[in-house]
Amino acid sequence: MNDNAHIDVVIVGGGLAGLTAAIHLSKKGIAVLVIEKNNYPKHKVCGEYVSNEILPYLQSLAIDPYRHGAKKISRFLLSTPNSKSIETQLPLGGFGISRYTLDYLLWQKARASGAQCVQDTVTDIQFVNNTFEIKTKNKQYQSKMAIGAYGKRSNLDSTLHRDFITKKSPFLAVKTHLKGDFPSDLVALHNFKGGYCGLSKTENDNINACYITNYKAFKPYKNIQNFQEKVLCKNRFLKEVFENSIAVFDKPLTISQVSFYTKKPVEQHILMCGDSAGMIHPLAGNGMSMAIRSGRLVSQLLIDYFSEKKATRATLEKKYKQQWNTAFKRRLKTGHIIASLFEMEYISEIMLMALKGFPSVLPKIIEQTHGKPLIIK
Ligand SMILES: Cc1cc2nc3c(=O)[nH]c(=O)nc-3n(C[C@H](O)[C@H](O)[C@H](O)COP(=O)(O)OP(=O)(O)OC[C@H]3O[C@@H](n4cnc5c(N)ncnc54)[C@H](O)[C@@H]3O)c2cc1C
């Protein structure tokens, strides 16, 4: 595909949502261009536990995480800052795989499926005369349709004047890989004062430790090492892992301004997908599954749009908004409520005691923040 070649759909961002859509659409003969600012393979800040809800869909796209060493995860352990804990079987279960491997796998698959994938940064998108004009650092493109799959926060949110981008977020996140003992079939979520840390194993037997905290909690400790020792390690589960394992990375990866503000699934005719459309608290949901699921949703609607002679852009956008809200709005809301409750230490201790008394309730709560498995015919 050269610069002026025919493009049906430009996908901005080659993360999980964008690459899933690229594979799905290309397999149906739709001309797709993915523009991703980073080179792959690359580590990303993420908990790296993927819910099984999207496994049948990935397999239908000929992607099998287990062929790449993914760890099967069936148990969930939750603890409070005071190390009170509860464990349950996960209703659906999931798998552990690094973003380094998963995103690269999808990137290669998108290329093999016929999508054009370029490494460049999109700096502007304009909708003019029923066509998208996309500017990158190096080139310009035109396309009939545009998918925004550029993640939770990007330069483009400012360019598009999206409401949430002007609001500051108090959250920052840290991720590292560790070598040490940890059960392969477990995902753990350990709360500490001012945040929570997820632990699970990845395909290469590393323990992924990924935590979210807020600036107020972090600031007095000045650096990551100090914060981990003085705050995270007050939770005995985290202490055990951090003190008995060896860091794999030279230094942890960090991101700031992690925001969970409400967004719109369609913005200036761009169909937003994954975190660009809305992000769930990792404490109470599975953003990766939502991203992949939204990639499927947008692809199915675009395939219908391109195959129906009388289809209009207005109907497509209306359907996408409706179906996106049906699939994700309730999950986002439930996730938000649970995360807010866990921010209050005292409440989280009471909740955990209550859950211990009624152990069948926890799997039900988990179900509320997870989607039903996708059935692929
Ligand atoms: C701390 C933390 C822990 C998490 N843990 C989990 C977990 O355990 N399980 C889970 O299911 N979810 C988890 N999530 C959520 C999950 O990471 C996201 O929901 C998921 O990555 C969303 O995928 P995406 O494709 O929408 O975005 P991304 O994966 O972020 O992809 C967006 C892509 O767009 C690219 N991009 C951005 N701007 C531009 C531009 N202008 N031009 C070109 N490219 C651009 C970026 O480089 C990036 O590759 C976690 C999130 C955080 C912050």
Side-chain angles (χ1 to χ4, degrees), residues 172-216:
L172 60 112
V174 179
K175 166 219 169 117
T176 189
H177 278 184
L178 306 165
K179 279 280 176 222
D181 280 341
F182 191 81
S184 294
D185 62 343
L186 181 75
V187 57
L189 207 49
H190 297 303
N191 286 271
F192 56 85
K193 208 174 169 61
Y196 52 89
C197 178
L199 298 173
S200 54
K201 276 221 162 158
T202 62
E203 74 286 354
N204 45 14
D205 231 26
N206 287 340
I207 308 166
N208 181 350
C210 184
Y211 58 89
I212 291 196
T213 186
N214 60 66
Y215 291 103
K216 208 172 144 202

Side-chain angles (χ1 to χ4, degrees), residues 95-300:
F95 54 93
I97 188 165
S98 70
R99 295 295 298 269
Y100 187 88
T101 295
L102 183 58
D103 289 47
Y104 188 42
L105 178 63
L106 297 183
W107 177 256
Q108 288 170 312
K109 197 80 190 172
R111 288 197 139 149
S113 307
Q116 172 80 2
C117 299
V118 298
Q119 195 252 313
D120 203 348
T121 301
V122 176
T123 53
D124 196 13
I125 309 182
Q126 297 287 334
F127 184 67
V128 186
N129 297 331
N130 209 23
T131 301
F132 288 95
E133 293 182 353
I134 297 105
K135 276 192 196 146
T136 69
K137 279 189 178 164
N138 302 306
K139 285 182 183 165
Q140 292 199 21
Y141 303 92
Q142 284 196 334
S143 75
K144 290 183 200 160
M145 291 292 166
I147 296 177
Y150 52 78
K152 50 192 156 305
R153 200 176 180 92
S154 163
N155 58 324
L156 283 176
D157 290 315
S158 302
T159 313
L160 295 169
H161 305 291
R162 300 186 83 190
D163 289 346
F164 81 93
I165 200 76
T166 53
K167 300 176 192 161
K168 279 209 172 303
S169 163
F171 298 108
L172 60 112
V174 179
K175 166 219 169 117
T176 189
H177 278 184
L178 306 165
K179 279 280 176 222
D181 280 341
F182 191 81
S184 294
D185 62 343
L186 181 75
V187 57
L189 207 49
H190 297 303
N191 286 271
F192 56 85
K193 208 174 169 61
Y196 52 89
C197 178
L199 298 173
S200 54
K201 276 221 162 158
T202 62
E203 74 286 354
N204 45 14
D205 231 26
N206 287 340
I207 308 166
N208 181 350
C210 184
Y211 58 89
I212 291 196
T213 186
N214 60 66
Y215 291 103
K216 208 172 144 202
F218 183 79
K219 212 174 159 196
Y221 299 92
K222 292 192 174 68
N223 66 55
I224 290 172
Q225 185 65 27
N226 203 21
F227 184 63
Q228 284 175 190
E229 280 171 21
K230 305 259 168 56
V231 181
L232 273 78
C233 289
K234 282 204 171 132
N235 181 315
R236 73 173 167 84
F237 294 99
L238 290 173
K239 185 177 161 75
E240 197 179 314
V241 170
F242 278 105
E243 286 189 352
N244 296 302
S245 48
I246 298 162
V248 175
F249 300 160
D250 287 342
K251 55 179 187 170
L253 306 182
T254 55
I255 49 168
S256 59
Q257 293 293 326
V258 182
S259 117
F260 303 100
Y261 294 118
T262 308
K263 300 173 186 171
K264 292 183 191 154
V266 180
E267 196 90 60
Q268 297 174 41
H269 305 285
I270 303 165
L271 305 170
M272 295 294 179
C273 237
D275 285 357
S276 301
M279 186 175 172
I280 194 161
H281 275 270
L283 173 86
N286 300 96
M288 288 198 269
S289 301
M290 286 175 57
I292 291 170
R293 212 173 173 129
S294 66
R296 177 182 186 244
L297 179 60
V298 79
S299 302
Q300 286 175 324

Side-chain angles (χ1 to χ4, degrees), residues 324-344:
W324 192 93
N325 282 329
T326 308
F328 304 118
K329 210 172 172 179
R330 211 177 96 190
R331 284 166 80 164
L332 281 167
K333 206 170 169 183
T334 315
H336 192 73
I337 294 168
I338 295 171
S340 311
L341 291 172
F342 268 94
E343 271 172 34
M344 294 177 267

